[in-house]
């Protein structure tokens, strides 16, 4: 999320596609949004206002998953990437720090320029 605010072209393209193309969705876990805003103030308000972005709330199952992990943002993102009835294949985590997800049961899209 902070990558988009820092001019990362790949992150900007994802945001544009989620806005412009039917069937493209960009999910933002609320806990990751908070961490991004702490790193780069204004990020949360900006991303939450974009029409192609869906903020995923911290519901009870997500909170229970977070309780088992070290950081809220990572745990909520990993939880959000798991398959659901709405997303049977799960979601892909777009990141400029793909090493953070090594060995985790998630698909990663490397946004490193």
């Amino acid at each position: 999320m902070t990558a988009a605010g820092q001019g990362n072209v790949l992150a900007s393209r994802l945001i544009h596609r989620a806005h412009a193309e039917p069937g493209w969705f960009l999910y933002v876990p609320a806990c990751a949004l908070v961490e991004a805003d702490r790193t780069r103030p204004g990020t949360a308000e900006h991303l939450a206002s974009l029409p192609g972005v869906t903020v995923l709330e911290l519901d009870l199952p997500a909170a229970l998953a977070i309780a088992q992990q070290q950081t809220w943002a990572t745990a909520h993102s990993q939880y959000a990437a798991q398959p659901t009835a709405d997303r049977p294949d799960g979601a892909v985590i777009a990141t400029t720090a793909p090493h953070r997800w090594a060995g985790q049961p998630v698909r990663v899209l490397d946004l490193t320029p």
Side-chain angles (χ1 to χ4, degrees):
M1 287 177 253
T2 56
Q6 295 172 334
N8 183 295
V9 174
L10 298 173
S12 294
R13 286 181 184 165
L14 283 176
I15 292 168
H16 174 73
R17 285 189 96 165
H19 173 70
E21 293 187 33
W24 271 79
F25 304 97
L26 196 57
Y27 300 103
V28 176
C31 293
L33 189 62
V34 168
E35 184 175 304
D37 200 70
R38 287 180 177 164
T39 301
R40 187 174 174 87
T43 300
E45 187 175 354
H46 175 70
L47 285 175
S49 71
L50 296 173
V53 172
T54 301
V55 177
L56 299 177
E57 297 179 1
L58 182 61
D59 58 10
L60 179 58
L64 295 174
I66 286 172
Q68 300 172 19
Q69 298 291 330
Q70 192 169 13
T71 68
W72 288 37
T74 302
H76 199 188
S77 297
Q78 183 176 346
Y79 173 79
Q82 301 307 308
T84 66
D86 294 340
R87 299 180 304 276
D89 294 328
V92 177
I93 295 177
T95 181
T96 56
H99 61 279
R100 172 189 264 180
W101 299 99
Q104 298 298 317
V106 296
R107 295 179 295 155
V108 175
L109 175 62
D110 186 355
L111 298 180
T112 306

